Amino acid sequence: MSSLSRRALILLMPLAACGFTPAFAPKGGDLMGKVAAKAPTTRNEFELVKQLELRLGRPDAAAYALTYQITTETISLGMTSSGDITRYNLLGTVDWTLTDPISSAVLAKGQAKNFTAWSATGSTAAGQTVEADASRRLMRILADDIVTRLTVFGAQRPQ
C-alpha cells in the first residue's frame, strides 16, 4: 500500500465513524428520478430543465416539484473607437423552490446566479450563434448550481 493511499484512508476514517454517506450513494441523499421541474416554455427554460434532467434523471415517480423563475441581462463590455460593441456579458439568475407536490409545503428554496460572456466580432450570423451558445452555457451552469444545492437538501432529509 503506498503512503498516499494510507494517508487517504486515515483521513477518511473519521468520516465513516460519523455516519458520512456520499450524496449519490445508495441510501444517500439520492434524488434521482424524484424531482419534477416545471414544464419549460422558453428556450432558456428548456435548456435549464434539460440539464436538470441530465443530472437528476427524468422523474418517474416525482416526490418533489421544482418551480423556477429565470431572469437574464445582457451587458455590453468592450467597444471600439467607432462605437462597435466587441464583448458582452450575460448575467443570469434563477430563483427556485422545491415543494412537496401533495401538500405544497416548501421544502427548500434558493437562488442561483452566474454569468457567461461572448465576443461580438464577426458576422451577424456568427454573433447570433455565439450569443445562443452563451445562453445555453449559462443555463447549464445555473442548473448545476441548483443540483448541488438540491443534493445537500437530499442528503439532509430523513431516509
Side-chain angles (χ1 to χ4, degrees), residues 35-57:
V35 178
K38 175 181 82 170
T41 58
T42 66
R43 172 55 73 189
N44 281 344
E45 289 178 358
F46 174 80
E47 292 295 340
L48 181 82
V49 171
K50 177 180 162 185
Q51 184 67 13
L52 288 169
E53 288 181 352
L54 281 173
R55 296 284 310 276
L56 294 172

Side-chain angles (χ1 to χ4, degrees), residues 6 10 13 24 26 28 33 44 50 68 70 77 103 107 120 122 132 140 144 155:
R6 278 187 233 137
I10 290 169
M13 284 176 142
F24 287 110
N44 281 344
K50 177 180 162 185
Y68 52 84
I70 301 171
L77 294 176
S103 69
L107 304 171
R140 288 179 187 155
D144 287 345

Side-chain angles (χ1 to χ4, degrees), residues 28-38 56 59-67 96-102 105-108 150 153-159:
D30 188 9
L31 296 174
M32 292 297 290
K34 296 180 183 154
V35 178
K38 175 181 82 170
L56 294 172
D60 43 338
Y64 307 101
L66 180 71
T67 57
W96 57 270
T97 305
L98 186 72
T99 58
D100 179 323
I102 297 169
V106 174
L107 304 171
L150 289 176
F153 161 76
Q156 293 174 346
R157 77 187 200 299
Q159 297 298 320

Side-chain angles (χ1 to χ4, degrees), residues 2 10 12-13 18 33-34 61 66 71 73 88 114-115 119 121 130-131 134 139 143 146 154 157:
S2 74
I10 290 169
L12 292 174
M13 284 176 142
C18 75
K34 296 180 183 154
L66 180 71
T71 55
E73 179 183 6
Y88 292 94
N114 220 307
F115 75 97
S119 176
T121 57
V130 295
E131 181 179 0
M139 292 305 116
I146 293 168
R157 77 187 200 299

